[in-house]
Amino acid sequence: MTPRQAQILIGLGTAVAVLLVLLIVMLVMDGDDEAALPTSPETTTTAATTTTAATTTTAATTTTAATTTTASTTTTSTSTTTTSTTVPVACPGPGAGPLPVGSTIAVDVFGDFDGDGAEDRFLVYSDSGGTYWARVELSYGHAAVAPDPQPGPGVINAKAVDLGGGADLAIAESLASPSSRLATFYAMYDCDLAAAPRDGDEIAQFPLRGSGMELAGITCVADGIDVTRARNTSGSQWEVSTIFYQWVPGIGEFQSNLGATAILTSPADDAAIQSHADWNC
């Protein structure tokens, strides 16, 4: 073999060795790239690889899309309604104290006259001098006496009636004459007992007549009283009227409203005429 042939063989061997080395390097780098790449649903972009005889450079770029989740917030507002009930303040001490010595009770009735839910007593009594007084005895011992008007010696009945406002009113019924009676309404004002007013300056005192040429009655309703009257004007003709008095608890007063008037004829309207003498409380 000539020296020239030997050089060619050595050059070919060297070239083959270099190619083998490059091939091994490329296989190793491809294996490393595959091991480094994550398994993900995101998108991966790989730049092209440039190879020279001596150096191989690989650049890999990975782009990951970010996902943002916003949770909705629900706010619930709760409205609370509180109902308060005002309880009457207890009156101090014994008030008027026990009944005077020598007193005689004419009539009495039980009811809730101060609005505290307990049973109280209303009574009319005469003292040792023969004067009649209206008195209330509250459940816990406090007593109050109305200064006036005195029911009079003809007191025959007492009633308790609820016209709204939480506390009962008391009614003293007394004889005004052989053919007529008077109904007087009493109420508690703080710790005092007094005759209830009507329309500001009059006592709530109404006549009751059940026969004769003039009739008068009272009917209690939920928030006041109907005061009725009937008067014979001539023969068979009767003029009848009704006035409603509303009880106003906040000021403790009866206030009148517009009444109604009509003409009725006897005997056809006798039942309606006589109803104006009803006493329903």
Side-chain angles (χ1 to χ4, degrees):
M1 179 181 296
T2 64
R4 178 63 178 170
Q5 292 175 336
Q7 291 177 350
I8 292 172
L9 289 174
I10 292 171
L12 289 173
T14 301
V16 170
V18 170
L19 290 175
L20 288 174
V21 170
L22 291 174
L23 180 61
I24 292 170
V25 170
M26 291 178 65
L27 291 173
V28 170
M29 293 185 67
D30 287 341
D32 291 342
D33 289 344
E34 292 176 0
L37 291 176
T39 302
S40 170
E42 286 77 18
T43 303
T44 301
T45 303
T46 304
T49 302
T50 303
T51 305
T52 63
T55 306
T56 301
T57 303
T58 303
T61 303
T62 302
T63 303
T64 302
T67 302
T68 302
T69 302
T70 302
S72 61
T73 303
T74 301
T75 302
T76 302
S77 176
T78 302
S79 176
T80 303
T81 302
T82 303
T83 302
S84 59
T85 301
T86 302
V87 178
V89 177
C91 298
L99 277 173
V101 176
S103 298
T104 301
I105 298 175
V107 293
D108 67 347
V109 66
F110 290 90
D112 181 12
F113 299 111
D114 61 350
D116 67 351
E119 189 175 71
D120 311 308
R121 184 191 190 195
F122 172 83
L123 57 97
V124 176
Y125 71 95
S126 63
D127 60 22
S128 58
T131 303
Y132 281 74
W133 304 91
R135 170 186 171 98
V136 69
E137 297 173 346
L138 300 181
S139 60
Y140 49 87
H142 182 89
V145 176
D148 61 335
Q150 287 81 16
V155 62
I156 58 174
N157 194 18
K159 295 185 177 185
V161 60
D162 180 7
L163 300 181
D168 293 341
L169 277 73
I171 309 172
E173 181 183 352
S174 57
L175 293 174
S177 71
S179 62
S180 66
R181 308 177 314 280
L182 283 178
T184 306
F185 287 78
Y186 291 87
M188 287 292 293
Y189 297 88
D190 294 328
C191 295
D192 298 320
L193 177 68
R198 61 171 177 173
D199 293 333
D201 56 357
E202 295 184 61
I203 296 297
Q205 192 174 61
F206 305 94
L208 298 168
R209 298 186 186 94
S211 62
M213 304 301 286
E214 291 190 18
L215 307 177
I218 301 173
T219 298
C220 292
V221 294
D223 57 349
I225 57 174
D226 285 325
V227 176
T228 54
R229 294 190 180 186
R231 183 173 63 91
N232 183 267
T233 55
S234 61
S236 62
Q237 299 294 308
W238 288 77
E239 182 182 77
V240 298
S241 64
T242 300
I243 300 177
F244 174 65
Y245 287 87
Q246 183 177 15
W247 174 246
V248 185
I251 59 177
E253 177 183 306
F254 285 99
Q255 295 182 348
S256 62
N257 292 290
L258 293 177
T261 302
I263 300 297
L264 300 180
T265 303
S266 179
D269 300 321
D270 278 355
I273 293 169
Q274 191 61 40
S275 70
H276 286 71
D278 289 347
W279 172 217
N280 295 323
C281 283

